[in-house]
Amino acid sequence: MNDIQIRSEYGLDEVQARIEKHIDTLSNFTATPGNGTTRLTYSKEDLQARNYIKEKMKEIGLQVREDGFGNIFGKLEGTLKDAPSVLIGSHFDSVPNGGSYDGPAGVVAGLEVASLFAKNQLKPKYPLEIIALIEEEGSRFGGGLMGSRGIVGMLSEDDFKSLKDKDGVTTEEAMVKIGLDPSLPKKRDSKTMKAFLELHIEQGPILEEKGIPIGIVESIVSLTQLEVTVKGQAGHAGTTPMDRRADALVAAAKMIAQLPELAEEEGNGTVITTGQLNVFPNGSNVIPDKVVFSVDIRSGKEENVLNVIEKVKELVDFYSGNGIQTSVEQLLYVQPKMMNKDILSLLKKKTSEFNVPYCSINSGAGHDAMVFSDYTDVGMLFIPSKNGLSHCPEEWSDSRHLAMAVQIFYEAAKKLTEAE
Ligand code: HGY
Ligand code: MN
Ligand code: MN
């Protein structure tokens, strides 16, 4: 990778050292130490990370608040009264046994941009807000993109309150348990947002294989999360003849085995994944009477996702009957999103000014930026993922690339907040 200019106002080595410390500290807030990051929303680990993020925001001199979902905001006021903010950030929850960078890289980048604003005593006209979002992964309450959907009003208060985790704990109960206040304001008027910048790890192999440190995201895939429920009849594994069974797991297994070819038939890079499978009552000598499994479908083109959703529903329906009942619930659906053209140009310009090699890239992963893109001007930068790995303990990115992204966002944020 080409080296980069070090400009005095950045003290890039100092930024890089702080980035490594932030990432390392946050990675310790996990329920599975030694086996990746497991930081579920409103968990003990969430609270540890939340307190760290808020402490860093206060050290920088930001005004810190949390909303009624538990999203964290650190604001550097602008000179313009009641002006909309330039937001920089990402999420701080994780998938089970995930990595240290998916989400936190973007929160840390925001903290470091704010640090540079403070260090250089910038007085922005428009406020700069650093944001740490909850439940982007949906690992605890399903669906995903919960913090950002809540802020823009895509997730209603009632729908939020109705969400429960696998133990039946509601969002509000879980919030109160770690000292959060669900009665705080939730939805935010989109007029209070001027722009949203998100740094994220690529989570794929493209940048690393190209030897390019910065990816400027042009679009984000369309995605849906389905939940399929298959019901049958519980029974004794030993005394129930094979021709008298309504085995929910056998039916579900036949469905799941056929999902990949639905995506392959659709083509266009369409992907489909079953990541979650819950069997009830889950006894080795009991015929399962209920199975619940996830189906994650993505494509750059909305029509591909819609086609495959219909094919999944037909496939599931095909196995109902003979004592088997099926249902499909859609937990999340987001259309493909284009990043804002002006911000794209700004990020390209600022990256070029540092002679940092970059390329345009489309995101196969979902991000909070896709939610905000319908409400404000949005831009994303990617940095390479080692061996293209993510959502696993092996996830790793180079703090030098993260520091490069910080300086690009710093210059872009100076422009967007008119702190020149
Ligand atoms: O699933 C995704 O694309 C993101 O990591 N939540
Ligand atoms: Mn992420
Ligand atoms: Mn993720």
Side-chain angles (χ1 to χ4, degrees), residues 91 102-103 136-137 200 367:
H91 61 97
D102 176 1
E136 187 273 348
E137 301 291 2
H200 206 283
H367 300 289

Side-chain angles (χ1 to χ4, degrees), residues 26 39 53 57 70-73 87-93 101-111 129-137 145 147-148 151 196-201 203 366-370 372 379-382 409:
L26 287 167
R39 185 162 54 242
I53 292 164
M57 287 178 168
N71 293 307
I72 310 166
F73 303 84
L87 297 139
I88 306 182
S90 190
H91 61 97
F92 67 103
D93 64 313
Y101 296 81
D102 176 1
V107 175
V108 166
L111 290 173
E129 275 196 80
I130 311 311
I131 179 171
L133 294 153
I134 55 110
E135 195 66 353
E136 187 273 348
E137 301 291 2
L145 302 171
S148 48
I151 287 171
F196 173 67
L197 301 179
E198 182 171 10
L199 171 82
H200 206 283
I201 55 173
Q203 301 181 291
H367 300 289
D368 291 304
M370 70 200 300
F372 286 119
M380 278 197 90
L381 286 183
F382 276 174
F409 269 5

Side-chain angles (χ1 to χ4, degrees), residues 13 27 106 133 208 248 272 279 291 293 301 334 351 382:
D13 288 344
S27 67
L133 294 153
E208 185 181 57
I272 196 165
V279 181
V291 167
F293 65 88
K301 283 208 169 34
V334 189
T351 307
F382 276 174

Side-chain angles (χ1 to χ4, degrees), residues 370-387:
M370 70 200 300
V371 172
F372 286 119
S373 66
D374 287 337
Y375 299 85
T376 189
D377 294 346
V378 167
M380 278 197 90
L381 286 183
F382 276 174
I383 57 171
S385 290
K386 188 162 183 276
N387 301 325

Side-chain angles (χ1 to χ4, degrees), residues 44-200:
K44 173 164 65 63
E45 297 74 31
D46 168 312
L47 184 58
Q48 291 172 313
R50 175 182 302 279
N51 289 338
Y52 178 81
I53 292 164
K54 286 161 59 179
E55 177 199 325
K56 292 304 154 193
M57 287 178 168
K58 285 174 190 149
E59 282 174 14
I60 296 164
L62 304 179
Q63 292 161 23
V64 181
R65 72 174 182 91
E66 288 160 310
D67 66 10
F69 298 108
N71 293 307
I72 310 166
F73 303 84
K75 187 173 187 179
L76 174 66
E77 268 304 348
T79 52
L80 270 182
K81 195 167 166 4
D82 300 334
S85 298
V86 174
L87 297 139
I88 306 182
S90 190
H91 61 97
F92 67 103
D93 64 313
S94 79
V95 295
N97 304 98
S100 305
Y101 296 81
D102 176 1
V107 175
V108 166
L111 290 173
E112 285 309 306
V113 169
S115 293
L116 287 172
F117 265 64
K119 175 185 166 192
N120 300 311
Q121 295 169 342
L122 295 185
K123 297 271 177 281
K125 272 173 72 177
Y126 293 87
L128 176 71
E129 275 196 80
I130 311 311
I131 179 171
L133 294 153
I134 55 110
E135 195 66 353
E136 187 273 348
E137 301 291 2
S139 303
R140 181 167 185 184
F141 297 102
L145 302 171
M146 187 166 90
S148 48
R149 285 191 294 136
I151 287 171
V152 299
M154 275 173 73
L155 175 70
S156 70
E157 177 109 19
D158 288 346
D159 286 351
F160 171 69
K161 286 179 176 174
S162 69
L163 291 170
K164 291 183 179 168
D165 69 9
K166 62 178 175 41
D167 301 320
V169 178
T170 68
T171 45
E172 291 195 320
E173 288 164 348
M175 283 184 77
V176 170
K177 194 156 178 240
I178 64 166
L180 296 176
D181 178 358
S183 70
L184 288 172
K186 290 188 170 69
K187 186 176 178 305
R188 174 172 176 156
D189 185 335
S190 54
K191 286 197 286 298
T192 67
M193 300 186 280
K194 182 171 190 279
F196 173 67
L197 301 179
E198 182 171 10
L199 171 82
H200 206 283

Side-chain angles (χ1 to χ4, degrees), residues 102 136 145 198-207 215-223 268-269 271 297-301 334-339 344 359-370 378-383 391:
D102 176 1
E136 187 273 348
L145 302 171
E198 182 171 10
L199 171 82
H200 206 283
I201 55 173
E202 181 205 330
Q203 301 181 291
I206 296 167
L207 292 176
I216 299 183
V217 178
E218 304 244 334
S219 69
I220 302 177
V221 284
S222 172
L223 63 89
N268 255 344
V271 289
I297 307 165
R298 309 192 187 197
S299 179
K301 283 208 169 34
V334 189
Q335 295 170 312
K337 299 292 177 192
M338 302 304 291
M339 297 296 100
L344 262 176
C359 68
S360 296
I361 191 166
N362 295 316
S363 175
H367 300 289
D368 291 304
M370 70 200 300
V378 167
M380 278 197 90
L381 286 183
F382 276 174
I383 57 171
H391 282 190

